[in-house]
Amino acid sequence: MKKQMFAFIKRLILIAFPIVLQQLFLNFASLLDTLMVGQLDEISISGVYVATQIVFVFNMMMFGTVEGAGVFFSQYFGTKDEEHMRKCYALKYVLSISFAIVGMVVLFTFGRDIASLFVSTEAELDIAVSYLNIVISSSIPFAITVTLSSTLRESHKTFTPMIITFIGIMFNLLFNYLFIYGIGPFPQLGGVGAAIGTFINRIVEMTLLVLIVLIKKEKFNKNLFHSFKIEKDLLKKIIKKSIPLFLNETLWSLSQFTLVYFFSKADPLATTVLPIVTTIFNLLFVVMLGVGQGVSILVANSVGESKFDTAQKEAYYSLIITVIVNLVLGAVLFICSDLIVSLYSGVGLQAREIASYLIKFDGIYLIVSGINLTLFFLLRAGGKTEIVFLFDSCFCWLISIPFAIILVNFTNMDFKTLYVLVYSIEIIKAIVGMILLLSKKWYKNLVVDSNIESVN
């Protein structure tokens, strides 16, 4: 048992460590963005935060477009079926780029109306819309990056996306600094300058990924245009599994966006406090995000090979690792909360006090959140995406949001208590997820058959 667990941990570290570093780079850049903008004023912080929340929903939907094909890709990778791996990869391009085009049209048309729901002044709204328009302009490069990065990770090649993310972030931070503060010949654009850094980052990442995949002649990229010919039954299976994952990412991200709306109605300071709290929380939470993605890849490989007993054991090992890691990370977050908040000199004392309180809570809550994330990735790797949909986004819309609505409309509860109570009920979600896992009915081999007619 111990030998198997340590062997799994070793394989997980090899895959997850670069993913963790990649996510840490991304969130460290987000932290520095917040700190840079936080030196300006609360209006800039609120405007940028509202825009980034809209972008967050868009990004999660983008990830959702490729996740279904990604599950199949991982299982085909387990069976070493290169032809069908290429077909899944090609389908990712079709879905992600199509979504990018539709998303750009929607947000360019309705972005201002959406942002206006969350801000109280025209100055905040102008910053939010300007930021949003710049970032959304890079949606197609972002779609290509998401497709390439996810496919490389599913091929167990996690170091390449990590390195490229790091390079992109260096460009991001450099141009953020130049445009936010107006260094040298560059104009001083404040919060909008952060959007330019993100735009440049996305172009750099896409360019480097495309070049590396072409130079290395990755097998999944071979005969790409021919691979757009996908068997009818396979296409139906992928779409059937993709829809719940896409809906889940969409509804879950919208649920988080909706919670921000209710928090902002409970206290206008919420849009100043939440950028600080969520950025710090995510900086540590991404460790488990990287581990979860690694777990998903390994467990999906086992399921694809019909090694269900192995997959079940790997699931148990994953939860043990989650508990241990999050106990350590949570303690760090709790202890360092006051020091972290003191760095935001442009933020008022009251907002900093609330932020410190909520960061301490997040240090405690991290273990519950980490378990839920690991359960999500395990259920997704098992191939039963309908269960993922029920477990993740349905919980938010049927439990968390109605609970928040009741508290906001029928109590005089302060923002701090509201935040703590709304997120504390996710303990229920963790219990339900554990029951699903223990039932041993969470996995299904999706790639066992395929003698099927091709379609263009």
Side-chain angles (χ1 to χ4, degrees):
M1 177 77 171
K2 287 184 178 179
K3 186 176 180 181
Q4 290 176 324
M5 182 174 176
F6 285 120
F8 173 74
I9 291 173
K10 183 178 178 180
R11 287 189 297 132
L12 180 60
I13 289 172
L14 288 173
I15 291 178
F17 182 69
I19 299 175
V20 170
L21 281 182
Q22 182 182 9
Q23 295 295 332
L24 281 173
F25 292 154
L26 286 170
N27 281 273
F28 185 67
S30 179
L31 171 63
L32 291 179
D33 278 1
T34 308
L35 283 172
M36 287 179 186
V37 177
Q39 307 302 309
L40 302 174
D41 51 56
E42 293 185 1
I43 291 176
S44 296
I45 293 175
S46 295
V48 170
Y49 178 65
V50 168
T52 56
Q53 288 303 295
I54 298 172
V55 172
F56 168 74
V57 173
F58 178 82
N59 290 352
M60 294 305 295
M61 293 172 72
M62 179 73 78
F63 294 137
T65 63
V66 302
E67 282 185 343
V71 172
F72 277 84
F73 186 98
S74 293
Q75 291 198 10
Y76 280 126
F77 186 86
T79 61
K80 298 178 174 59
D81 186 341
E82 293 182 3
E83 180 184 354
H84 284 97
M85 285 163 57
R86 285 194 290 270
K87 292 179 186 298
C88 293
Y89 167 66
L91 184 58
K92 283 186 182 185
Y93 268 119
V94 174
L95 295 173
S96 63
I97 293 176
S98 298
F99 175 76
I101 294 169
V102 173
M104 288 170 65
V105 172
V106 171
L107 289 177
F108 280 136
T109 305
F110 301 106
R112 189 173 190 90
D113 295 329
I114 297 170
S116 66
L117 298 173
F118 298 85
V119 297
S120 55
T121 69
E122 281 296 316
E124 290 173 327
L125 182 58
D126 288 340
I127 292 172
V129 173
S130 297
Y131 184 103
L132 181 63
N133 287 343
I134 293 170
V135 173
I136 291 302
S137 299
S138 62
S139 294
I140 292 177
F142 181 63
I144 295 170
T145 297
V146 167
T147 297
L148 287 170
S149 293
S150 62
T151 305
L152 285 168
R153 285 195 295 268
E154 290 151 7
S155 305
H156 294 201
K157 296 174 182 178
T158 54
F159 277 92
T160 299
M162 178 197 74
I163 297 299
I164 289 176
T165 295
F166 178 76
I167 294 170
I169 285 169
M170 292 301 102
F171 277 90
N172 189 352
L173 294 178
L174 171 63
F175 286 97
N176 276 1
Y177 176 69
L178 296 175
F179 282 107
I180 289 174
Y181 300 120
I183 305 300
F186 295 90
Q188 184 176 354
L189 300 177
V192 177
I196 296 176
T198 300
F199 181 92
I200 293 171
N201 173 20
R202 288 184 170 186
I203 300 299
V204 169
E205 285 193 16
M206 179 203 68
T207 303
L208 292 177
L209 278 169
V210 169
L211 287 174
I212 286 177
V213 167
L214 291 175
I215 291 169
K216 288 191 172 183
K217 298 180 180 178
E218 296 287 354
K219 291 181 180 179
F220 60 75
N221 198 57
K222 185 180 178 182
N223 298 323
L224 175 61
F225 293 103
H226 176 72
S227 297
F228 283 112
K229 221 175 200 182
I230 301 175
E231 299 93 336
K232 285 182 179 178
D233 284 355
L234 175 60
L235 182 61
K236 288 178 183 177
K237 286 167 68 177
I238 294 177
I239 295 299
K240 183 180 177 181
K241 292 298 178 182
S242 295
I243 289 172
L245 288 173
F246 175 76
L247 287 176
N248 181 69
E249 297 294 356
T250 301
L251 291 174
W252 179 83
S253 56
L254 284 173
S255 74
Q256 302 307 299
F257 195 49
T258 303
L259 286 176
V260 171
Y261 172 78
F262 285 112
F263 290 149
S264 67
K265 296 306 174 187
D267 188 340
L269 276 177
T271 53
T272 300
V273 172
L274 288 174
I276 303 170
V277 175
T278 55
T279 302
I280 300 302
F281 176 78
N282 289 341
L283 190 62
L284 295 184
F285 184 67
V286 293
V287 175
M288 284 318 304
L289 182 62
V291 172
Q293 290 177 338
V295 164
S296 182
I297 291 167
L298 291 176
V299 173
N301 292 164
S302 296
V303 173
E305 297 175 81
S306 296
K307 296 178 179 178
F308 299 126
D309 288 340
T310 300
Q312 188 72 37
K313 289 177 182 177
E314 290 172 344
Y316 295 147
Y317 301 154
S318 302
L319 288 171
I320 292 170
I321 295 166
T322 296
V323 171
I324 293 171
V325 171
N326 279 286
L327 281 172
V328 175
L329 294 177
V332 171
L333 197 59
F334 190 94
I335 293 168
C336 297
S337 59
D338 291 334
L339 174 63
I340 293 166
V341 171
S342 67
L343 299 174
Y344 291 84
S345 59
V347 176
L349 179 60
Q350 184 183 2
R352 277 184 283 161
E353 288 176 349
I354 296 173
S356 179
Y357 178 91
L358 297 184
I359 289 172
K360 285 185 173 71
F361 165 74
D362 282 346
I364 300 169
Y365 165 74
L366 192 65
I367 188 167
V368 175
S369 187
I371 288 172
N372 282 335
L373 184 69
T374 300
L375 287 168
F376 165 80
F377 278 112
L378 287 170
L379 294 172
R380 194 184 76 173
K384 293 193 174 182
T385 55
E386 301 85 356
I387 294 178
V388 174
F389 175 70
L390 292 171
F391 171 75
D392 206 30
S393 59
C394 284
F395 181 89
C396 294
W397 283 100
L398 297 178
I399 306 294
S400 298
I401 289 177
F403 187 48
I405 292 172
I406 292 169
L407 294 179
V408 169
N409 290 298
F410 298 102
T411 72
N412 293 319
M413 192 173 292
D414 63 88
F415 168 51
K416 291 191 299 184
T417 309
L418 176 66
Y419 180 97
V420 169
L421 288 178
V422 167
Y423 284 109
S424 292
I425 61 171
E426 290 206 358
I427 293 173
I428 299 171
K429 184 176 171 182
I431 294 170
V432 172
M434 290 298 298
I435 293 171
L436 287 171
L437 196 70
L438 292 170
S439 72
K440 298 184 180 181
K441 295 178 180 179
W442 55 275
Y443 42 70
K444 179 182 180 181
N445 191 325
L446 302 174
V447 300
V448 286
D449 55 356
S450 286
N451 270 331
I452 26 199
E453 180 188 353
S454 286
V455 294
N456 289 312

